[in-house]
């Protein structure tokens, strides 16, 4: 399985080698996966739960990050030409604070020839169970669910996007997916400026790392991946951004890793500390102290209600029957351990997943 990770320490998404966004949770890492085709469509149509770019006469694809950033570029080679797709989540400093909106920006442009493409934007809600109500204007589409509204603003013809018509790509197009808010600038201007600011931020962050002489590219890429698992609003560190992917086909060990397992978080903190990226440790320590203080005066159920859910993982196991999962596991199983709410504990009554710091499992 080859997937590209994009994120901004507030949200994260996964992109496959053909430039399909097949995993994106809102409003946080542990939220409802509005794009979820990584696990299955939840319907009879395999294109549901994804944001895909199909090119007519597809031949091959290649994918790479802009160096020292989580900005992902995919080249789609087709009989009619070449299409470049650039995906990222904005992240930079603005007004003396971190700007990390719950947003994905996708930029598409023709590189060679006259390629024909079909854009399919099909989010679903409630773990694939609910088809959104669609409303639209001249330059935006709203996907309305029971608890969440996703807005896509674009400078591409909305009629072509909604009808999923095959069209010739003769100019760049930008898609901004995020909260139900009106953009203050045009999508192209927002995409260009946010991309330059995001690239500058991550390259400066990477420049400050104390990387070893050998394997510098691999070390920096690993550091960025670990950093993207940090939910900065609370300081918690998720073990991974995915859930319900079994360790092997037919295996039932399909844990929900979108929670802060204290042991896994320690490995992430230690790895980043060794590279002189100590801010993650400081934020994590603050989360831990808040958690300990809260646990001393409340039960774990109250801890859930007090707003620590995205980094505690103190829920009961439940099975989601909407999305068809991998292998023999017919449903997407979400399992959470209470061990994260008791940092000093050495054991837990809930099953414990194997240790790893991978961002995708």
């Amino acid at each position: 399985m080859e997937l590209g990770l994009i994120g901004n320490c507030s949200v994260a998404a996964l992109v496959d080698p053909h430039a399909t966004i097949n995993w994106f949770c809102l409003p946080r890492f542990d939220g409802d996966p509005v794009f979820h085709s990584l696990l299955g469509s939840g319907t009879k149509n395999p294109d549901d739960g994804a944001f895909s770019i199909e090119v007519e006469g597809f031949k091959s694809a290649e994918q790479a990050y802009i160096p020292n950033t989580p900005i992902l570029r995919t080249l789609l080679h087709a009989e009619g030409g070449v299409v470049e797709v650039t995906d990222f989540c904005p992240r930079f400093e603005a007004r003396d604070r971190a700007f990390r909106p719950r947003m994905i920006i996708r930029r598409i442009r023709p590189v060679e020839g006259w390629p024909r493409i079909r854009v399919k934007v099909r989010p679903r809600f409630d773990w694939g169970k609910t088809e959104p109500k669609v409303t639209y204007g001249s330059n935006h589409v709203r996907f309305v669910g029971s608890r969440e509204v996703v807005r896509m603003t674009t400078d591409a013809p909305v009629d072509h996007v909604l009808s999923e018509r095959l069209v010739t790509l003769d100019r760049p197009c930008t898609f901004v997916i995020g909260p139900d808010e009106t953009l203050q600038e045009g999508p192209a201007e927002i995409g260009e400026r946010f991309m330059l600011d995001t690239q500058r931020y991550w390259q400066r962050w990477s420049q400050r790392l104390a990387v070893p002489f050998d394997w510098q590219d691999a070390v920096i890429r690993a550091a960025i991946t670990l950093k993207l698992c940090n939910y900065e609003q609370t300081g918690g560190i998720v073990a991974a951004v995915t859930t319900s992917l079994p360790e092997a086909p037919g295996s039932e060990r399909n844990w929900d890793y979108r929670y802060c397992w204290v042991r896994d978080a320690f490995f992430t903190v230690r790895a980043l500390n060794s590279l002189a990226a100590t801010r993650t440790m400081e934020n994590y320590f603050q989360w831990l102290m808040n958690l300990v203080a809260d646990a001393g005066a409340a039960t774990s159920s109250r801890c859930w209600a007090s707003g620590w859910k995205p980094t505690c993982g103190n829920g009961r196991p439940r099975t989601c029957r909407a999305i068809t999962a991998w292998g023999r596991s017919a449903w997407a199983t979400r399992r959470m351990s209470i061990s994260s709410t008791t940092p000093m504990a050495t054991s837990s009554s809930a099953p414990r997943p194997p240790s790893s710091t991978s961002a995708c499992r």
Side-chain angles (χ1 to χ4, degrees):
M1 181 186 299
E2 295 183 6
L3 296 167
L5 173 67
I6 60 174
N8 60 6
C9 300
S10 182
V11 292
L14 296 175
V15 186
D16 77 5
H18 293 169
T20 296
I21 300 176
N22 57 19
W23 187 256
F24 180 49
C25 297
L26 286 174
R28 302 173 300 209
F29 294 139
D30 65 328
D32 184 18
V34 294
F35 294 134
H36 50 70
S37 62
L38 176 66
L39 297 181
S41 65
T43 67
K44 294 182 179 180
N45 194 325
D47 292 326
D48 286 347
F51 184 174
S52 59
I53 307 294
E54 297 180 358
V55 294
E56 184 181 45
F58 173 79
K59 297 169 62 177
S60 64
E62 53 185 296
Q63 198 171 63
Y65 287 101
I66 293 179
N68 299 346
T69 76
I71 302 174
L72 187 65
R73 278 181 172 159
T74 308
L75 289 178
L76 302 175
H77 298 266
E79 294 176 357
V82 180
V83 178
E84 179 188 76
V85 182
T86 304
D87 295 305
F88 68 98
C89 297
R91 169 63 193 261
F92 49 89
E93 298 294 326
R95 300 176 181 177
D96 296 324
R97 62 178 181 268
F99 179 71
R100 44 176 186 266
R102 295 176 171 91
M103 177 186 293
I104 293 177
I105 295 181
R106 164 161 278 194
R107 308 179 70 194
I108 306 172
R109 71 180 185 94
V111 176
E112 179 182 311
W114 298 91
R116 290 172 59 80
I117 68 169
R118 176 182 284 111
V119 178
K120 295 183 178 180
V121 187
R122 298 185 182 181
R124 293 181 71 89
F125 298 97
D126 302 320
W127 289 81
K129 182 175 63 176
T130 304
E131 182 178 359
K133 177 182 178 181
V134 177
T135 65
Y136 61 94
S138 58
N139 293 98
H140 75 273
V141 180
R142 298 171 69 245
F143 302 93
V144 183
S146 58
R147 294 183 297 272
E148 191 78 32
V149 179
V150 176
R151 185 186 186 105
M152 180 189 71
T153 305
T154 180
D155 52 7
V158 170
D159 286 355
H160 291 341
V161 175
L162 290 176
S163 64
E164 298 179 353
R165 181 180 178 182
L166 191 66
V167 297
T168 300
L169 183 66
D170 58 356
R171 61 180 176 84
C173 298
T174 302
F175 297 82
V176 180
I177 294 183
D180 188 21
E181 301 172 357
T182 302
L183 298 181
Q184 299 303 312
E185 302 175 57
E189 291 77 10
I190 286 280
E192 177 71 18
R193 181 165 61 86
F194 280 13
M195 180 173 165
L196 291 176
D197 289 343
T198 299
Q199 180 175 341
R200 186 180 301 113
Y201 169 84
W202 283 106
Q203 289 180 342
R204 287 178 176 175
W205 184 86
S206 301
Q207 191 176 32
R208 294 193 296 266
L209 295 176
V211 296
F213 181 78
D214 296 322
W215 308 103
Q216 291 190 8
D217 291 343
V219 171
I220 291 174
R221 177 56 48 198
I224 292 174
T225 301
L226 293 178
K227 178 64 177 175
L228 294 181
C229 291
N230 180 207
Y231 186 73
E232 285 189 341
Q233 294 199 45
T234 64
I237 302 169
V238 296
V241 302
T242 56
T243 178
S244 308
L245 295 178
E247 294 181 352
S251 169
E252 295 183 357
R253 297 177 64 85
N254 53 347
W255 310 101
D256 191 339
Y257 285 96
R258 303 171 303 155
Y259 291 82
C260 186
W261 304 96
V262 174
R263 180 183 62 177
D264 296 66
F266 164 74
F267 292 145
T268 298
V269 166
R270 184 172 65 176
L272 291 176
N273 273 4
S274 68
L275 300 174
T278 59
R279 182 65 60 85
T280 302
M281 177 193 66
E282 296 170 0
N283 293 340
Y284 176 67
F285 183 76
Q286 183 180 18
W287 167 79
L288 201 58
M289 292 301 99
N290 279 318
L291 189 62
V292 170
D294 200 10
T299 62
S300 57
S301 61
R302 184 176 162 196
C303 180
W304 180 288
S306 64
W308 295 105
K309 174 178 176 278
T311 52
C312 281
N314 60 334
R316 296 182 178 90
R318 78 180 181 93
T319 300
C320 174
R321 299 170 183 263
I323 300 176
T324 303
W326 284 47
R328 293 182 304 174
S329 303
W331 307 313
T333 304
R334 302 177 60 195
R335 300 179 183 269
M336 291 78 80
S337 167
I338 63 172
S339 62
S340 294
T341 67
T342 54
M344 302 305 294
T346 57
S347 63
S348 169
S349 58
R352 205 43 192 102
S355 172
S356 175
T357 54
S358 170
C360 173
R361 315 189 205 193

